Amino acid sequence: MVILDGKKTSNDLKDEIAIAVAKRRSEGKKIPHLAAILVGTDGASMTYVNSKVKSCEKVGFNSTLIDLPEDTTEDQLLNEIDDLNKDNDIDGFIVQLPLPKQIDEQKVLMAVDPNKDVDGFHPVNVGKMTLDLPTFLPATPYGIMELLKRYKVETSGKNVVVIGRSHIVGRPMSILLSQKRDVGNATVTLVHSRTKNLEEITKEADIIVAALGKAEFLTGDMVKDGVTIIDVGITRVKDDSKKRGYRLAGDVDFESVSKKAGFITPVPGGVGPMTIAMLLKNTLLACENRD
Ligand code: NAP
């Protein structure tokens, strides 16, 4: 069994990005600048945004964190987005999800300039991705593709089962892996909460991407020998033995599944760090596009 080490791979990627930034600097070109908008004080969101900003520093990007209070109105947020759209120094920006309930998420995503949409969530970019056109790929599926590529996991002709159909993970993952591309050409089945006989389907899979957000859902008896497992889930599970009172659990029961898997991502240290690295890669691309 081989561990797909997202931490190491993301550090390799960050080193490559840092070299590209240093080269830009020596050539007198613009330094990439990523902005992040955080609304409210959700613990997990604050952790994610802070590590995104820290990663910017690591690769030599400029970064700006816009921290807005929980009671921010939709109009106020749309104004901030408008400012970032117009700001010539900002190459790309993200609005950390989820948003407080008074704000319509779709309206917000639609307001982001597609050329600065480094999360790849704007309909224009989703459309381009679906049509195999070059664009910003959503960071989590993009990170998974990169991990599969760097570990030379064969996807062509394989049976892939993606569990979960969210717009940010499951749906784009199923599209990308079914496309005629380097890491792709797979026969993809997308399953969700209404799927019947899920276990019969997962047992036939050569590769499983678990993105449903249910701690340790996929167990060893649901998979076949030699399967490749990509665990996207991150759930905080109460654990009094930990100082912070919880542990992070994936969607996969690592203990039983790793005994049968050929390749497997750990949680933490698998898909999570790759997501951040791909956000940086998209920001570098956004900056290069504006050269
Ligand atoms: P989401 O929007 O809540 O979607 C979950 C999906 O799973 C839905 O399509 C749902 O089906 C399906 N589902 C729920 N229960 C199911 C079941 N028992 N059997 C089969 N399918 C089931 O979640 P998400 O945003 O994609 O996130 C999924 C997990 O990944 C979460 O733990 C999240 O924290 C994590 N995540 C990690 C990263 C990272 O960088 N590592 C990034 C994003 C998300 P329906 O559509 O029928 O409701």
Side-chain angles (χ1 to χ4, degrees), residues 257-283:
V257 174
S258 61
K259 291 195 176 103
K260 291 172 105 175
F263 294 93
I264 187 166
T265 61
V267 175
V271 174
M274 290 301 292
T275 297
I276 296 185
M278 301 327 274
L279 174 68
L280 300 176
K281 209 163 159 59
N282 277 343
T283 306

PDB file of all heavy atoms in Angstrom, residues 257-283:
ATOM      1  N   VAL A 257      -9.818   0.144   5.442  1.00  0.00           N
ATOM      2  CA  VAL A 257      -9.681   0.313   3.988  1.00  0.00           C
ATOM      3  C   VAL A 257      -8.214   0.218   3.555  1.00  0.00           C
ATOM      4  O   VAL A 257      -7.900  -0.357   2.510  1.00  0.00           O
ATOM      5  CB  VAL A 257     -10.313   1.658   3.528  1.00  0.00           C
ATOM      6  CG1 VAL A 257     -10.049   1.913   2.050  1.00  0.00           C
ATOM      7  CG2 VAL A 257     -11.817   1.651   3.788  1.00  0.00           C
ATOM      8  N   SER A 258      -7.308   0.751   4.367  1.00  0.00           N
ATOM      9  CA  SER A 258      -5.886   0.753   3.971  1.00  0.00           C
ATOM     10  C   SER A 258      -5.344  -0.674   3.845  1.00  0.00           C
ATOM     11  O   SER A 258      -4.373  -0.910   3.117  1.00  0.00           O
ATOM     12  CB  SER A 258      -5.048   1.563   4.962  1.00  0.00           C
ATOM     13  OG  SER A 258      -5.127   1.005   6.244  1.00  0.00           O
ATOM     14  N   LYS A 259      -5.979  -1.636   4.518  1.00  0.00           N
ATOM     15  CA  LYS A 259      -5.525  -3.042   4.420  1.00  0.00           C
ATOM     16  C   LYS A 259      -5.755  -3.592   3.017  1.00  0.00           C
ATOM     17  O   LYS A 259      -5.107  -4.550   2.595  1.00  0.00           O
ATOM     18  CB  LYS A 259      -6.272  -3.900   5.442  1.00  0.00           C
ATOM     19  CG  LYS A 259      -5.874  -3.592   6.876  1.00  0.00           C
ATOM     20  CD  LYS A 259      -6.334  -4.692   7.827  1.00  0.00           C
ATOM     21  CE  LYS A 259      -5.852  -4.405   9.229  1.00  0.00           C
ATOM     22  NZ  LYS A 259      -6.914  -3.874  10.099  1.00  0.00           N
ATOM     23  N   LYS A 260      -6.720  -3.024   2.273  1.00  0.00           N
ATOM     24  CA  LYS A 260      -7.025  -3.527   0.933  1.00  0.00           C
ATOM     25  C   LYS A 260      -6.531  -2.606  -0.177  1.00  0.00           C
ATOM     26  O   LYS A 260      -6.394  -3.035  -1.327  1.00  0.00           O
ATOM     27  CB  LYS A 260      -8.550  -3.701   0.794  1.00  0.00           C
ATOM     28  CG  LYS A 260      -9.083  -4.836   1.656  1.00  0.00           C
ATOM     29  CD  LYS A 260     -10.577  -4.848   1.647  1.00  0.00           C
ATOM     30  CE  LYS A 260     -11.115  -5.973   0.790  1.00  0.00           C
ATOM     31  NZ  LYS A 260     -12.597  -6.029   0.892  1.00  0.00           N
ATOM     32  N   ALA A 261      -6.251  -1.342   0.155  1.00  0.00           N
ATOM     33  CA  ALA A 261      -5.959  -0.343  -0.882  1.00  0.00           C
ATOM     34  C   ALA A 261      -4.562  -0.494  -1.477  1.00  0.00           C
ATOM     35  O   ALA A 261      -3.622  -0.942  -0.805  1.00  0.00           O
ATOM     36  CB  ALA A 261      -6.102   1.054  -0.285  1.00  0.00           C
ATOM     37  N   GLY A 262      -4.441  -0.125  -2.763  1.00  0.00           N
ATOM     38  CA  GLY A 262      -3.139  -0.029  -3.420  1.00  0.00           C
ATOM     39  C   GLY A 262      -2.516   1.329  -3.138  1.00  0.00           C
ATOM     40  O   GLY A 262      -1.342   1.438  -2.806  1.00  0.00           O
ATOM     41  N   PHE A 263      -3.351   2.374  -3.292  1.00  0.00           N
ATOM     42  CA  PHE A 263      -2.952   3.745  -2.973  1.00  0.00           C
ATOM     43  C   PHE A 263      -4.039   4.339  -2.078  1.00  0.00           C
ATOM     44  O   PHE A 263      -5.226   4.062  -2.283  1.00  0.00           O
ATOM     45  CB  PHE A 263      -2.898   4.620  -4.235  1.00  0.00           C
ATOM     46  CG  PHE A 263      -1.840   4.236  -5.239  1.00  0.00           C
ATOM     47  CD1 PHE A 263      -2.137   3.367  -6.286  1.00  0.00           C
ATOM     48  CD2 PHE A 263      -0.563   4.791  -5.166  1.00  0.00           C
ATOM     49  CE1 PHE A 263      -1.176   3.045  -7.234  1.00  0.00           C
ATOM     50  CE2 PHE A 263       0.399   4.475  -6.107  1.00  0.00           C
ATOM     51  CZ  PHE A 263       0.101   3.591  -7.144  1.00  0.00           C
ATOM     52  N   ILE A 264      -3.644   5.195  -1.143  1.00  0.00           N
ATOM     53  CA  ILE A 264      -4.653   5.837  -0.282  1.00  0.00           C
ATOM     54  C   ILE A 264      -4.135   7.191   0.232  1.00  0.00           C
ATOM     55  O   ILE A 264      -2.948   7.337   0.511  1.00  0.00           O
ATOM     56  CB  ILE A 264      -5.054   4.902   0.897  1.00  0.00           C
ATOM     57  CG1 ILE A 264      -6.229   5.482   1.713  1.00  0.00           C
ATOM     58  CG2 ILE A 264      -3.874   4.592   1.812  1.00  0.00           C
ATOM     59  CD1 ILE A 264      -6.889   4.463   2.659  1.00  0.00           C
ATOM     60  N   THR A 265      -5.044   8.173   0.301  1.00  0.00           N
ATOM     61  CA  THR A 265      -4.664   9.470   0.893  1.00  0.00           C
ATOM     62  C   THR A 265      -5.004   9.448   2.384  1.00  0.00           C
ATOM     63  O   THR A 265      -6.066   8.960   2.768  1.00  0.00           O
ATOM     64  CB  THR A 265      -5.427  10.647   0.249  1.00  0.00           C
ATOM     65  OG1 THR A 265      -6.835  10.461   0.458  1.00  0.00           O
ATOM     66  CG2 THR A 265      -5.138  10.778  -1.227  1.00  0.00           C
ATOM     67  N   PRO A 266      -4.125   9.994   3.217  1.00  0.00           N
ATOM     68  CA  PRO A 266      -4.454  10.105   4.646  1.00  0.00           C
ATOM     69  C   PRO A 266      -5.262  11.376   4.925  1.00  0.00           C
ATOM     70  O   PRO A 266      -5.307  12.267   4.086  1.00  0.00           O
ATOM     71  CB  PRO A 266      -3.062  10.221   5.298  1.00  0.00           C
ATOM     72  CG  PRO A 266      -2.211  10.889   4.254  1.00  0.00           C
ATOM     73  CD  PRO A 266      -2.777  10.508   2.899  1.00  0.00           C
ATOM     74  N   VAL A 267      -5.890  11.436   6.095  1.00  0.00           N
ATOM     75  CA  VAL A 267      -6.529  12.676   6.581  1.00  0.00           C
ATOM     76  C   VAL A 267      -6.063  12.864   8.013  1.00  0.00           C
ATOM     77  O   VAL A 267      -6.268  11.972   8.838  1.00  0.00           O
ATOM     78  CB  VAL A 267      -8.073  12.571   6.545  1.00  0.00           C
ATOM     79  CG1 VAL A 267      -8.698  13.819   7.183  1.00  0.00           C
ATOM     80  CG2 VAL A 267      -8.578  12.399   5.131  1.00  0.00           C
ATOM     81  N   PRO A 268      -5.405  13.951   8.354  1.00  0.00           N
ATOM     82  CA  PRO A 268      -4.994  15.032   7.454  1.00  0.00           C
ATOM     83  C   PRO A 268      -3.741  14.655   6.644  1.00  0.00           C
ATOM     84  O   PRO A 268      -3.199  13.575   6.844  1.00  0.00           O
ATOM     85  CB  PRO A 268      -4.701  16.181   8.425  1.00  0.00           C
ATOM     86  CG  PRO A 268      -4.314  15.517   9.713  1.00  0.00           C
ATOM     87  CD  PRO A 268      -5.078  14.216   9.774  1.00  0.00           C
ATOM     88  N   GLY A 269      -3.343  15.561   5.745  1.00  0.00           N
ATOM     89  CA  GLY A 269      -2.088  15.358   5.003  1.00  0.00           C
ATOM     90  C   GLY A 269      -2.282  14.748   3.628  1.00  0.00           C
ATOM     91  O   GLY A 269      -1.308  14.313   2.991  1.00  0.00           O
ATOM     92  N   GLY A 270      -3.542  14.708   3.153  1.00  0.00           N
ATOM     93  CA  GLY A 270      -3.798  14.166   1.819  1.00  0.00           C
ATOM     94  C   GLY A 270      -4.297  15.242   0.881  1.00  0.00           C
ATOM     95  O   GLY A 270      -3.530  16.061   0.379  1.00  0.00           O
ATOM     96  N   VAL A 271      -5.620  15.258   0.695  1.00  0.00           N
ATOM     97  CA  VAL A 271      -6.235  16.190  -0.259  1.00  0.00           C
ATOM     98  C   VAL A 271      -6.163  17.648   0.226  1.00  0.00           C
ATOM     99  O   VAL A 271      -5.970  18.563  -0.577  1.00  0.00           O
ATOM    100  CB  VAL A 271      -7.705  15.771  -0.524  1.00  0.00           C
ATOM    101  CG1 VAL A 271      -8.414  16.783  -1.397  1.00  0.00           C
ATOM    102  CG2 VAL A 271      -7.745  14.384  -1.152  1.00  0.00           C
ATOM    103  N   GLY A 272      -6.295  17.870   1.528  1.00  0.00           N
ATOM    104  CA  GLY A 272      -6.337  19.230   2.087  1.00  0.00           C
ATOM    105  C   GLY A 272      -5.181  20.123   1.634  1.00  0.00           C
ATOM    106  O   GLY A 272      -5.405  21.183   1.040  1.00  0.00           O
ATOM    107  N   PRO A 273      -3.929  19.716   1.889  1.00  0.00           N
ATOM    108  CA  PRO A 273      -2.799  20.565   1.470  1.00  0.00           C
ATOM    109  C   PRO A 273      -2.727  20.760  -0.044  1.00  0.00           C
ATOM    110  O   PRO A 273      -2.292  21.812  -0.517  1.00  0.00           O
ATOM    111  CB  PRO A 273      -1.560  19.799   1.962  1.00  0.00           C
ATOM    112  CG  PRO A 273      -2.030  18.703   2.826  1.00  0.00           C
ATOM    113  CD  PRO A 273      -3.502  18.535   2.646  1.00  0.00           C
ATOM    114  N   MET A 274      -3.189  19.773  -0.801  1.00  0.00           N
ATOM    115  CA  MET A 274      -3.169  19.900  -2.268  1.00  0.00           C
ATOM    116  C   MET A 274      -4.118  21.010  -2.728  1.00  0.00           C
ATOM    117  O   MET A 274      -3.838  21.734  -3.678  1.00  0.00           O
ATOM    118  CB  MET A 274      -3.592  18.574  -2.931  1.00  0.00           C
ATOM    119  CG  MET A 274      -2.604  17.459  -2.788  1.00  0.00           C
ATOM    120  SD  MET A 274      -0.996  17.868  -3.485  1.00  0.00           S
ATOM    121  CE  MET A 274      -1.361  17.935  -5.227  1.00  0.00           C
ATOM    122  N   THR A 275      -5.254  21.132  -2.031  1.00  0.00           N
ATOM    123  CA  THR A 275      -6.238  22.163  -2.384  1.00  0.00           C
ATOM    124  C   THR A 275      -5.596  23.546  -2.322  1.00  0.00           C
ATOM    125  O   THR A 275      -5.761  24.366  -3.229  1.00  0.00           O
ATOM    126  CB  THR A 275      -7.444  22.071  -1.423  1.00  0.00           C
ATOM    127  OG1 THR A 275      -8.065  20.802  -1.609  1.00  0.00           O
ATOM    128  CG2 THR A 275      -8.462  23.164  -1.681  1.00  0.00           C
ATOM    129  N   ILE A 276      -4.842  23.778  -1.260  1.00  0.00           N
ATOM    130  CA  ILE A 276      -4.208  25.097  -1.093  1.00  0.00           C
ATOM    131  C   ILE A 276      -3.149  25.315  -2.177  1.00  0.00           C
ATOM    132  O   ILE A 276      -3.070  26.395  -2.781  1.00  0.00           O
ATOM    133  CB  ILE A 276      -3.612  25.228   0.323  1.00  0.00           C
ATOM    134  CG1 ILE A 276      -4.754  25.165   1.342  1.00  0.00           C
ATOM    135  CG2 ILE A 276      -2.800  26.523   0.459  1.00  0.00           C
ATOM    136  CD1 ILE A 276      -4.362  25.389   2.763  1.00  0.00           C
ATOM    137  N   ALA A 277      -2.367  24.286  -2.462  1.00  0.00           N
ATOM    138  CA  ALA A 277      -1.313  24.432  -3.483  1.00  0.00           C
ATOM    139  C   ALA A 277      -1.919  24.769  -4.849  1.00  0.00           C
ATOM    140  O   ALA A 277      -1.375  25.596  -5.599  1.00  0.00           O
ATOM    141  CB  ALA A 277      -0.498  23.143  -3.569  1.00  0.00           C
ATOM    142  N   MET A 278      -3.075  24.167  -5.162  1.00  0.00           N
ATOM    143  CA  MET A 278      -3.679  24.410  -6.478  1.00  0.00           C
ATOM    144  C   MET A 278      -4.300  25.807  -6.551  1.00  0.00           C
ATOM    145  O   MET A 278      -4.351  26.419  -7.615  1.00  0.00           O
ATOM    146  CB  MET A 278      -4.730  23.338  -6.817  1.00  0.00           C
ATOM    147  CG  MET A 278      -4.213  21.926  -6.840  1.00  0.00           C
ATOM    148  SD  MET A 278      -2.518  21.684  -7.377  1.00  0.00           S
ATOM    149  CE  MET A 278      -2.704  21.587  -9.129  1.00  0.00           C
ATOM    150  N   LEU A 279      -4.743  26.316  -5.413  1.00  0.00           N
ATOM    151  CA  LEU A 279      -5.230  27.700  -5.375  1.00  0.00           C
ATOM    152  C   LEU A 279      -4.078  28.653  -5.732  1.00  0.00           C
ATOM    153  O   LEU A 279      -4.251  29.614  -6.486  1.00  0.00           O
ATOM    154  CB  LEU A 279      -5.777  28.010  -3.973  1.00  0.00           C
ATOM    155  CG  LEU A 279      -6.188  29.454  -3.729  1.00  0.00           C
ATOM    156  CD1 LEU A 279      -7.418  29.816  -4.553  1.00  0.00           C
ATOM    157  CD2 LEU A 279      -6.470  29.691  -2.244  1.00  0.00           C
ATOM    158  N   LEU A 280      -2.895  28.358  -5.218  1.00  0.00           N
ATOM    159  CA  LEU A 280      -1.716  29.179  -5.536  1.00  0.00           C
ATOM    160  C   LEU A 280      -1.380  29.057  -7.025  1.00  0.00           C
ATOM    161  O   LEU A 280      -1.054  30.038  -7.688  1.00  0.00           O
ATOM    162  CB  LEU A 280      -0.513  28.748  -4.688  1.00  0.00           C
ATOM    163  CG  LEU A 280      -0.678  28.863  -3.168  1.00  0.00           C
ATOM    164  CD1 LEU A 280       0.551  28.303  -2.455  1.00  0.00           C
ATOM    165  CD2 LEU A 280      -0.908  30.309  -2.745  1.00  0.00           C
ATOM    166  N   LYS A 281      -1.481  27.827  -7.538  1.00  0.00           N
ATOM    167  CA  LYS A 281      -1.182  27.603  -8.960  1.00  0.00           C
ATOM    168  C   LYS A 281      -2.150  28.402  -9.843  1.00  0.00           C
ATOM    169  O   LYS A 281      -1.753  29.029 -10.824  1.00  0.00           O
ATOM    170  CB  LYS A 281      -1.284  26.100  -9.266  1.00  0.00           C
ATOM    171  CG  LYS A 281      -0.386  25.655 -10.394  1.00  0.00           C
ATOM    172  CD  LYS A 281      -0.206  24.154 -10.384  1.00  0.00           C
ATOM    173  CE  LYS A 281       0.238  23.613 -11.713  1.00  0.00           C
ATOM    174  NZ  LYS A 281       1.477  24.117 -12.243  1.00  0.00           N
ATOM    175  N   ASN A 282      -3.428  28.403  -9.455  1.00  0.00           N
ATOM    176  CA  ASN A 282      -4.422  29.186 -10.198  1.00  0.00           C
ATOM    177  C   ASN A 282      -4.116  30.683 -10.125  1.00  0.00           C
ATOM    178  O   ASN A 282      -4.315  31.412 -11.100  1.00  0.00           O
ATOM    179  CB  ASN A 282      -5.832  28.927  -9.643  1.00  0.00           C
ATOM    180  CG  ASN A 282      -6.464  27.662 -10.210  1.00  0.00           C
ATOM    181  OD1 ASN A 282      -6.016  27.132 -11.226  1.00  0.00           O
ATOM    182  ND2 ASN A 282      -7.494  27.166  -9.559  1.00  0.00           N
ATOM    183  N   THR A 283      -3.632  31.134  -8.977  1.00  0.00           N
ATOM    184  CA  THR A 283      -3.321  32.564  -8.823  1.00  0.00           C
ATOM    185  C   THR A 283      -2.126  32.948  -9.696  1.00  0.00           C
ATOM    186  O   THR A 283      -2.130  34.012 -10.331  1.00  0.00           O
ATOM    187  CB  THR A 283      -3.026  32.889  -7.338  1.00  0.00           C
ATOM    188  OG1 THR A 283      -4.123  32.432  -6.560  1.00  0.00           O
ATOM    189  CG2 THR A 283      -2.839  34.384  -7.123  1.00  0.00           C
TER     190      THR A 283
END
